[in-house]
Amino acid sequence: MKNFITSFFLNNRFFYALTIVAMLFVVGFFIPLFFGLAKALLFGLLLITLIDIFLLFSVKNGVTAERSVPERLSNGDENKIQLSIKSNYNITTNNIILEELPFQLQLRDFRLFEQLKPQQEKDVNYKVVPFVRGDYDFGNTNIYVSSPLQLATRKFILSEQKNVKCYPSFLKLNELNIKAISNNLHTQGSKKIRRIGNSLEFEQIKEYVTGDDIRTLNWKATAKRNQLMVNQYVEEKSQPIYSIIDKGRQMQLHFNNLTLLDYAINATLAVSSTILRKQDKAGMFSFSKKIDNIIVAEQRNSQMSLISDALYNIKTDFVESDYSLLYAAIKRKIPSRSLLILYTNFETLDALKRQLPYLRAIAKNHLLLVVFFKNTELTKIVKQKAVTVENVYDKVIAEKFMYEKKQIANELKKYGIQSVLTKPENLTGDTINKYLELKLRGLF
């Protein structure tokens, strides 16, 4: 009886019909003919409602459902969720599906409408886009079933609660890796790269064929074999490359629902995958007031798993990052020359100059690549038409800050420090492009 009470609901259609009957009773007080009609309609309404209730509750397990959730969610990407629903009724049913989604998704009005024919099985798919890394708790699946009469509703509580972890973006890794290998990154805001010079590692001596670079001719081998022979080179492999993530408060800025820190974490995962595909050694660590999440640069099968697990728990600590600590840690922990990809953000030239001595010191022993962000909100202000004096002031200030970003890149270049100034959404592609360019130029 208790289950019946908690799962039984009367629909709006029943109350609308009941309101009409009540109005007829009022009219029947003045016109007796309508009073008899009202009683007949009330009896008919109650009878049909009882029939509707019987149809809904005559089958014990009227509807069954099973939710299929990925083992882990990809941050900032569309993740597919599947509901497999089966109707055990012998009538066509109208179903309202209410999913108890994790609170991080902020989908308070999420519902699906499905009509199921007798004994029909159906897969219902929907997508969720998480913007916060961490644990996501999926609750029950609530299905409200009504018959074609739609006077009453029966509630079913289905599917088990499930906890799923949200990791940095990994769904697009395969796509990015394929493009990285072919140097053909057209998406993610990237561009084609011109190959510069030769690779540094000698592979073999082979016969000259049309198209080989004549600068690689081996004259001694040519004299011995009495035919043209050339040296063949391959890209130098197994170079240590570290992704360094700044966890300071400046990385908490939001763009398109993700923080700069999240963009940096997603890019680190994709870039590390590309590095391993190019047979280099990928490592990482994060810093602010202390050095955390250290993964030594290696080339092994489990490296991506280690990096992914390390990136999962990185959070901003809302303090100013200590670059002197970063310099000391690099000097102590990374003895050999490496490519260091530093994800950070400088909004003003003064902010850069405070940290520039440490960046220059790091660049003496390593190839340093500083990756920082364009403020896309300033671009929107600059493009807007100035109508009032206040709009003019806003545009001038926005243009000043945008110009300072370019000055920061020029200041880094002046001291031999590589840099990438990019939009947050283009970060992954631009960083991979820069890594490939530096590798092809043999700078590390």
Side-chain angles (χ1 to χ4, degrees), residues 163-393:
N163 178 273
V164 183
K165 296 183 183 298
C166 180
Y167 280 81
S169 175
F170 57 84
L171 290 180
K172 298 178 181 176
L173 282 184
N174 290 335
E175 177 186 353
L176 285 171
N177 285 330
I178 292 170
K179 291 176 180 176
I181 292 170
S182 64
N183 289 339
N184 191 25
L185 287 169
H186 295 299
T187 59
Q188 302 292 328
S190 50
K191 58 186 178 183
K192 289 185 178 180
I193 298 173
R194 181 171 61 92
R195 292 183 175 269
I196 304 174
N198 289 321
S199 302
L200 300 179
E201 189 174 339
F202 173 79
E203 184 182 30
Q204 64 178 349
I205 300 174
K206 70 179 189 71
E207 294 181 6
Y208 174 84
V209 295
T210 304
D212 284 339
D213 191 345
I214 60 173
R215 292 175 296 179
T216 62
L217 283 170
N218 188 317
W219 294 108
K220 289 184 178 180
T222 298
K224 288 180 180 179
R225 297 288 298 273
N226 199 27
Q227 60 179 343
L228 291 175
M229 305 292 292
V230 294
N231 294 331
Q232 184 173 346
Y233 297 88
V234 296
E235 292 177 342
E236 192 170 359
K237 301 172 182 177
S238 298
Q239 300 298 304
I241 301 167
Y242 283 87
S243 297
I244 305 171
I245 300 174
D246 184 352
K247 297 192 300 182
R249 61 186 174 214
Q250 68 272 16
M251 297 293 283
Q252 188 59 23
L253 290 174
H254 279 73
F255 292 93
N256 297 331
N257 298 315
L258 288 177
T259 65
L260 296 184
L261 180 64
D262 285 319
Y263 282 110
I265 288 171
N266 292 343
T268 296
L269 190 66
V271 171
S272 297
S273 177
T274 303
I275 290 169
L276 293 173
R277 286 287 187 93
K278 301 294 283 186
Q279 300 183 14
D280 284 328
K281 298 177 182 178
M284 63 147 293
F285 61 89
S286 61
F287 81 102
S288 181
K289 281 298 182 183
K290 60 179 182 178
I291 305 297
D292 289 314
N293 313 106
I294 302 174
I295 303 294
V296 178
E298 295 287 350
Q299 187 186 15
R300 51 190 171 186
N301 295 333
S302 61
Q303 193 71 356
M304 279 304 297
S305 178
L306 293 173
I307 292 174
S308 181
D309 290 338
L311 293 172
Y312 169 72
N313 287 318
I314 295 180
K315 291 181 173 59
T316 312
D317 54 15
F318 297 99
V319 297
E320 187 169 354
S321 299
D322 187 347
Y323 278 76
S324 63
L325 177 68
L326 174 64
Y327 167 69
I330 291 173
K331 192 170 183 63
R332 185 174 65 254
K333 296 180 180 295
I334 310 178
S336 60
R337 179 174 172 81
S338 307
L339 170 61
L340 307 179
I341 304 175
L342 173 60
Y343 298 94
T344 186
N345 194 41
F346 298 109
E347 288 295 332
T348 64
L349 193 58
D350 289 336
L352 170 69
K353 288 183 176 179
R354 287 197 300 270
Q355 314 301 345
L356 192 56
Y358 303 111
L359 297 179
R360 291 177 62 187
I362 294 170
K364 286 182 180 179
N365 300 315
H366 303 277
L367 179 61
L368 179 60
L369 171 60
V370 177
V371 182
F372 60 111
F373 299 87
K374 293 180 180 179
N375 192 327
T376 53
E377 296 300 318
L378 295 179
T379 306
K380 293 178 183 178
I381 295 174
V382 170
K383 290 182 178 180
Q384 288 177 353
K385 184 178 180 181
V387 179
T388 64
V389 175
E390 183 180 354
N391 294 149
V392 175
Y393 289 152

Side-chain angles (χ1 to χ4, degrees), residues 141-174:
T141 298
N142 303 288
I143 301 182
Y144 294 83
V145 181
S146 59
S147 73
L149 297 174
Q150 296 191 36
L151 293 173
T153 294
R154 183 180 178 184
K155 177 183 177 182
F156 292 91
I157 301 177
L158 306 168
S159 288
E160 297 180 355
Q161 299 182 5
K162 187 173 183 179
N163 178 273
V164 183
K165 296 183 183 298
C166 180
Y167 280 81
S169 175
F170 57 84
L171 290 180
K172 298 178 181 176
L173 282 184
N174 290 335

Side-chain angles (χ1 to χ4, degrees), residues 369-373 409 412 418-422 427 430-431 434:
L369 171 60
V370 177
V371 182
F372 60 111
F373 299 87
L412 291 169
Q418 302 288 330
S419 67
V420 172
L421 175 59
T422 180
L427 173 64
D430 288 347
T431 306
K434 192 66 176 181

